[in-house]
Amino acid sequence: MNPKAGSFELLEPASPESLAPDPWLEPWMIVVAIVAVLVLALLLMFLNRRKKPHFDAKAAREAARFEALLLLDNIRNVTAREAAVQASLVLRKYLITISGDPALFETHEETIARHRALHAFTDEARAAAGTTFNQLAALKYAEQIPDEAADNVTRGARSLLETLHQGFRQ
């Protein structure tokens, strides 16, 4: 004889949630993320609130001019060629300090050929710079050491320095 067959009672199916894996994002993780964002925001606000040192462009230009004048005054007892080399270097350092112009790292010809050369200066200052730098280049690259006095070279460089200082537009 057959043992008694199972009952035909309908059972409730298993819930679909029990088949899904546990979520990887827990509620405590959301709370920690929110707190971390708030702490970071407060930290950024604190850092931005601190006063940044104010850059005084006019004072920087004055300091660069003063330094250039001192260096030009120190050019003594040298040949005209050496005076032209030193004066050119002083003027180029002044230009890179006050205007960011890459004249210090370029040859005379590269600076003249660049269309945007000395764009921060007035037209008169650019013209004076072109003339004086041409004179300095002629002295620096002359075949024979020129017979000109070093004082004349530094006087011309000082004049250009004052013209550039007055002709700065920014």
Side-chain angles (χ1 to χ4, degrees):
M1 311 197 98
N2 269 349
K4 190 170 184 187
S7 80
F8 289 108
E9 184 178 333
L10 291 176
L11 299 175
E12 196 64 37
S15 93
E17 288 85 20
S18 66
L19 299 175
D22 289 334
W24 62 272
L25 188 62
E26 298 289 331
W28 66 268
M29 292 178 183
I30 295 171
V31 171
V32 168
I34 291 172
V35 169
V37 168
L38 289 175
V39 167
L40 184 63
L42 289 173
L43 182 65
L44 287 175
M45 284 176 34
F46 174 74
L47 291 177
N48 284 338
R49 184 173 292 168
R50 292 188 341 182
K51 289 220 176 210
K52 294 180 176 121
H54 177 67
F55 177 72
D56 188 4
K58 186 174 181 179
R61 283 195 306 274
E62 286 294 331
R65 177 178 162 266
F66 182 72
E67 180 183 354
L69 287 172
L70 285 178
L71 291 172
L72 287 173
D73 287 343
N74 289 333
I75 300 174
R76 294 189 188 115
N77 301 325
V78 294
T79 65
R81 177 179 287 159
E82 185 62 30
V85 169
Q86 291 179 17
S88 177
L89 183 63
V90 167
L91 290 170
R92 288 170 184 264
K93 281 183 179 179
Y94 172 78
L95 287 174
I96 198 166
T97 300
I98 67 165
S99 69
D101 191 83
L104 180 64
F105 307 107
E106 295 178 337
T107 64
H108 171 70
E109 291 80 11
E110 289 172 334
T111 303
I112 299 283
R114 194 166 31 94
H115 296 294
R116 301 262 311 146
L118 305 176
H119 68 279
F121 295 92
T122 62
D123 292 337
E124 295 83 21
R126 276 194 300 244
T131 302
T132 304
F133 279 124
N134 281 334
Q135 292 169 350
L136 291 174
L139 291 171
K140 289 190 302 188
Y141 304 120
E143 206 170 298
Q144 299 290 327
I145 294 179
D147 197 24
E148 191 170 344
D151 288 340
N152 291 341
V153 175
T154 56
R155 198 173 305 118
R158 284 179 75 98
S159 174
L160 175 61
L161 180 65
E162 293 303 324
T163 302
L164 290 173
H165 187 70
Q166 298 302 322
F168 192 70
R169 286 192 271 190
Q170 296 175 348

